Amino acid sequence: MSELQQGFPGDPQISALYREHAREEPSAAVDDRILAAARAAVSAAAPAARRTWWQRWRATLALATTLVLTLSLSLLHERQPDDRRREAEVAAPPQPVAPGVSPAAVARDVAVPAAAPAAAPAVTAEPAVGSNAAAAADASAPGAAPRQPASGERLGGQRAAPPAGESGPRPSAGDWSHPGGSVAAKREEATAAALPPVAKESPAVPLATTAAPAVAGVAPEAAAPGQVPAARQQAPAGEKARAADLRRADDWLEEIRALRRAGRSAEAARQLADFRRAHPDYPLPEEFRQ
Amino acid sequence: MQTDWSDERLMLAYRAGDADAFTLLYRRHRGPLYRYLARQCGNPALADELHQDVWLKVINARSQYEPLARFPTWLFRIARHRLIDHYRQHARHLLAHYESTADEDPEEGNELIEALPAAYEEMPHVLHERHDTARRISLALDELPPLQREVFLLAEEGGLTLDEIAVATGCGRETTKSRLRYALGKLRTRLRDLL
């Protein structure tokens, strides 16, 4: 026995005899298997222990990043269809261009009525708005959404006019950050501004329903089924009145003609004066130059 | 030099990833552990299997290893548990003796000898090749009751002290001492002419 200790009942003779003849050993194959398993266990554990923080967590981080990106894109796509529909509402109505009227003038027609109500004081109160709108319209390509000067000024210049050549008012990054759909409200205003005046909403022109063939031609095109009426319903009463004032120049002139034909010369002259203030660059037909 | 290192230091080195430390450790203890298992189960092929299982347990338990006891104590304790598992599955009549903590009567061993599997030394081809002395030692060991033989082997092959044997077998020190005394007495009687 290797360690004889106090009280250990050992027998050195038996021990020596036993050790002398104890020769059995495991087979070499068993030895090889055990040693191979021991080395494999160490070599398999070594790379895992040597991995850095980044190596251990990069798969998790990559997965988390992918999820965040996917979620963000999904949310953006979820909001985009409505926005595109509104863009279509704003940009879709083809403006019937009267012979001899330039596209820029058409753009002004769309933009100016927002700041040019039928009432003369309102028009005179904002003479500069029309020129701003004209400048914006000049900068915009035909078919581009008209800039809404009044609303732009209300927003304190937060939104710049779309660059020339842009096919439509794409939402900028800042638009998405507006909570509560303020952009949508602006777009609805613009939609209302682009609409031709509805005769029954224009108290000053009782004959307008029969007067303007262009109006009759434009209205069905401008009003997408079920969309424009809905926008009108949503607009407050004040905005409806303003939308009624945002008449296009040729319609306005047609109304003035109707007034003259009806013998209401004084009112026709007043309307014409308002028209000249609102559209100083509009080439008047021969009959109104006298 | 690693060859001078203690078993515990080698095992700690292996835990840290040094495979050569394990090789040294294995070379030191492969023979004693194998003989302990072979003499206890009486079957060389089965001893090979048990021997491999025990060392695989050591490999897999390396990360939890702490040198709270001497390495041989830990190693032979694992071996003993593996042996009991084997008895539990294949030799329940022997398991009852391992689970008993009562001290043996000197005559008790006669019944157990008959229950033990035939020692491989008794097989003709082995007997023919083996030296007569070695065969007689082996036969004398096989005739010991399992618990007495276990204590003797743990002391001889494992180099364990009485206290360490008591811990490894889950018995008291005095019980272990008594078993060892019985075992030595029987061996001396059987091998008297060889001493």
Side-chain angles (χ1 to χ4, degrees):
Chain A
M1 304 202 184
S2 57
E3 289 185 24
L4 292 177
Q5 53 183 324
Q6 193 73 21
F8 193 89
D11 189 328
Q13 288 182 314
I14 295 290
S15 181
L17 182 66
Y18 174 80
R19 293 187 180 193
E20 185 182 349
H21 294 91
R23 292 285 179 266
E24 300 92 338
E25 287 185 338
S27 64
V30 172
D31 289 347
D32 292 342
R33 281 200 295 271
I34 291 170
L35 292 176
R39 291 188 181 280
V42 172
S43 59
R50 268 188 252 116
R51 283 192 305 173
T52 62
W53 179 90
W54 169 245
Q55 287 172 327
R56 271 183 279 137
W57 289 98
R58 65 181 172 185
T60 309
L61 288 174
L63 181 63
T65 307
T66 305
L67 285 175
V68 168
L69 283 174
T70 306
L71 191 63
S72 303
L73 288 173
S74 302
L75 291 174
L76 283 176
H77 271 281
E78 199 173 304
R79 295 173 65 176
Q80 247 176 347
D82 289 344
D83 201 66
R84 280 181 177 164
R85 198 183 327 131
R86 290 195 192 99
E87 291 170 9
E89 289 171 8
V90 172
Q95 304 299 325
V97 179
V101 178
S102 68
V106 173
R108 281 194 300 269
D109 293 343
V110 173
V112 169
V123 173
T124 53
E126 296 181 346
V129 172
S131 59
N132 287 344
D138 289 340
S140 303
R147 182 173 182 267
Q148 187 59 267
S151 60
E153 288 173 3
R154 279 198 304 272
L155 289 170
Q158 285 180 0
R159 185 174 177 197
E166 192 173 335
S167 61
R170 301 289 302 168
S172 66
D175 290 342
W176 294 115
S177 64
H178 284 298
S182 61
V183 173
K186 284 191 288 179
R187 296 250 165 84
E188 285 176 2
E189 281 184 29
T191 304
L195 290 174
V198 179
K200 65 180 179 181
E201 293 177 355
S202 176
V205 188
L207 300 176
T209 51
T210 58
V215 172
V218 167
E221 294 173 16
Q227 291 180 350
V228 174
R232 279 186 193 144
Q233 287 170 1
Q234 292 172 359
E239 291 191 0
K240 279 186 180 178
R242 200 176 346 151
D245 293 337
L246 300 180
R247 64 198 70 184
R248 295 172 52 228
D250 49 352
D251 296 338
W252 198 348
L253 289 176
E254 197 62 35
E255 290 169 8
I256 294 172
R257 280 193 200 95
L259 287 173
R260 281 185 175 180
R261 281 197 296 271
R264 299 160 64 178
S265 303
E267 190 175 350
R270 196 169 62 248
Q271 288 280 338
L272 183 60
D274 292 344
F275 180 87
R276 294 299 302 272
R277 277 193 289 270
H279 303 286
D281 297 329
Y282 191 90
L284 285 176
E286 190 65 30
E287 57 185 303
F288 292 111
R289 290 181 187 168
Q290 298 167 354
Chain B
M1 290 289 291
Q2 281 191 331
T3 51
D4 299 334
W5 287 8
S6 68
D7 294 341
E8 294 74 30
R9 189 175 176 187
L10 287 173
M11 188 60 197
L12 288 174
Y14 176 60
R15 189 183 73 175
D18 185 353
D20 293 334
F22 180 85
T23 303
L24 274 176
L25 199 60
Y26 179 73
R27 299 285 178 209
R28 283 183 190 176
H29 296 280
R30 58 187 280 277
L33 182 69
Y34 176 79
R35 285 190 289 274
Y36 166 77
L37 292 168
R39 294 194 187 284
Q40 284 293 81
C41 74
N43 183 337
L46 178 60
D48 269 344
E49 182 186 333
L50 296 176
H51 177 79
Q52 181 173 316
D53 286 353
V54 170
W55 283 107
L56 289 179
K57 284 181 185 294
V58 170
I59 291 168
N60 292 331
R62 68 189 182 283
S63 57
Q64 288 89 37
Y65 175 77
E66 293 294 340
L68 302 176
R70 287 204 311 130
F71 177 78
T73 308
W74 185 60
L75 176 67
F76 279 86
R77 191 170 185 177
I78 293 173
R80 185 175 188 270
H81 288 165
R82 180 66 188 88
L83 204 56
I84 291 174
D85 284 344
H86 166 72
Y87 289 149
R88 188 171 288 133
Q89 293 173 4
H90 302 100
R92 282 198 164 271
H93 56 288
L94 291 177
L95 181 65
H97 296 286
Y98 276 90
E99 290 174 345
S100 168
T101 56
D103 230 355
E104 297 86 11
D105 185 277
E107 300 301 320
E108 183 191 7
N110 295 334
E111 301 172 7
L112 295 169
I113 291 170
E114 295 176 4
L116 282 173
Y120 70 100
E121 289 87 352
E122 290 181 311
M123 296 175 185
H125 67 284
V126 178
L127 290 173
H128 182 71
E129 295 171 359
R130 305 276 300 177
H131 191 272
D132 185 60
T133 304
R135 183 178 65 86
R136 286 187 58 193
I137 294 172
S138 184
L139 285 172
L141 280 172
D142 290 342
E143 290 174 0
L144 291 177
L147 295 178
Q148 293 177 14
R149 184 172 61 237
E150 178 183 56
V151 173
F152 175 80
L153 290 173
L154 287 174
E156 289 296 333
E157 298 290 359
L160 273 57
T161 65
L162 279 179
D163 292 328
E164 289 170 339
I165 294 170
V167 169
T169 59
C171 296
R173 187 178 188 277
E174 291 305 313
T175 302
T176 303
K177 186 176 178 180
S178 173
R179 286 174 182 173
L180 183 57
R181 185 178 293 120
Y182 281 128
L184 291 173
K186 288 175 183 173
L187 288 174
R188 175 168 281 279
T189 303
R190 303 275 178 147
L191 303 173
R192 180 167 311 180
D193 58 316
L194 298 176
L195 296 175

